[in-house]
Amino acid sequence: MNTNETRRTIKARRSTRIFASKDIPEEDIIRILESANQAPSAHNKQSWRFIVIRGPRKQALASLVSERAGQFKKPSSTLLRMAARSIFSAPVVIAVVNTGELVKHGTKSFDGVANLTELFRTMEIQSSAAAVQNMLLAATSLGLGSVWLGILCLIREEVLGLLEIQEGEFMAVVPIGYAQGKSVAPRKKSLESIVDFLS
Ligand SMILES: Cc1cc2nc3c(=O)[nH]c(=O)nc-3n(C[C@H](O)[C@H](O)[C@H](O)COP(=O)(O)O)c2cc1C
């Protein structure tokens, strides 16, 4: 197969949910953040913020998620408990927040376009998603594991409160560290089942 470093990294990326108790180099955190910041963003607004969480605040986040898990039914409770374990075991967690700058300031020059707020909000969420994917790939390229924890959306207000984020929309929480054990590759659909070629 014709492949290269980028394609190898894309293929090697796996969601890692349990991490070894080993710190990651500070430079790697910066490299991951720089990669996130290179993502495409609607109108190049880069309306994302990254909050790097370590130490007692990270443990407090893990405790919050674990406590709140009991208030949900399965499968949410199970996923929240798993998320708490990932946050607890990872040396670093990065939260991603959408600042909504495009919705707030970008609509002026588009007078008369219907549903502009909804359209711009969608594009900002997509931009943040691109940044998260860059983070995951950068982590993989540095020999690190990571996982995108969307389930924390269920308790987004409490998460934002704990992280002292006054303004912004919860996008993702990503624990990062050295994988404990090997993650099993899940099956992916065949191209035939998901692609249509038109001409
Ligand atoms: C938007 C989004 C939200 C996700 N939320 C969670 C989550 O809350 N907990 C979790 O363990 N994995 C979560 N994942 C990871 C997926 O479960 C994972 O990507 C999928 O099972 C495929 O595995 P792979 O990442 O190893 O290819 C999320 C992924 C995405 C893109």
Side-chain angles (χ1 to χ4, degrees), residues 10 12-17 79-80 82-83 86 129 132-133 136 146-153 171-173 183-188:
I10 290 170
R13 185 206 57 78
R14 280 283 70 77
S15 291
T16 300
R17 297 183 174 86
L79 285 167
L80 283 167
M82 274 169 57
S86 300
V132 175
Q133 178 68 359
L136 305 182
S146 58
V147 62
W148 182 330
L149 294 179
I151 195 71
L152 265 62
C153 254
M171 289 288 114
V173 161
S183 305
V184 180
R187 282 179 74 85
K188 302 285 176 179

Side-chain angles (χ1 to χ4, degrees), residues 133-182:
Q133 178 68 359
N134 272 14
M135 280 171 54
L136 305 182
L137 291 175
T140 306
S141 76
L142 296 165
L144 296 163
S146 58
V147 62
W148 182 330
L149 294 179
I151 195 71
L152 265 62
C153 254
L154 289 177
I155 53 167
R156 59 172 76 115
E157 295 309 325
E158 288 147 280
V159 171
L160 292 178
L162 189 116
L163 302 180
E164 296 177 46
I165 297 160
Q166 326 289 346
E167 237 188 291
E169 186 178 8
F170 172 92
M171 289 288 114
V173 161
V174 182
I176 302 172
Y178 293 98
Q180 172 92 285
K182 209 167 154 41

Side-chain angles (χ1 to χ4, degrees), residues 27-83:
E27 312 86 77
D28 282 358
I29 300 172
I30 301 300
R31 288 180 184 122
I32 289 166
L33 293 166
E34 278 172 354
S35 302
N37 200 37
Q38 288 301 318
S41 65
H43 296 262
N44 196 29
K45 271 280 186 249
Q46 296 176 261
S47 37
W48 44 55
R49 290 291 174 277
F50 306 109
I51 301 101
V52 181
I53 314 154
R54 287 177 284 199
R57 192 70 66 107
K58 185 183 71 72
Q59 301 315 80
L61 179 62
S63 301
L64 169 75
V65 177
S66 168
E67 278 159 31
R68 294 289 278 110
Q71 291 161 19
F72 289 87
K73 287 195 194 133
K74 277 186 182 173
S76 303
S77 57
T78 312
L79 285 167
L80 283 167
R81 273 193 201 98
M82 274 169 57

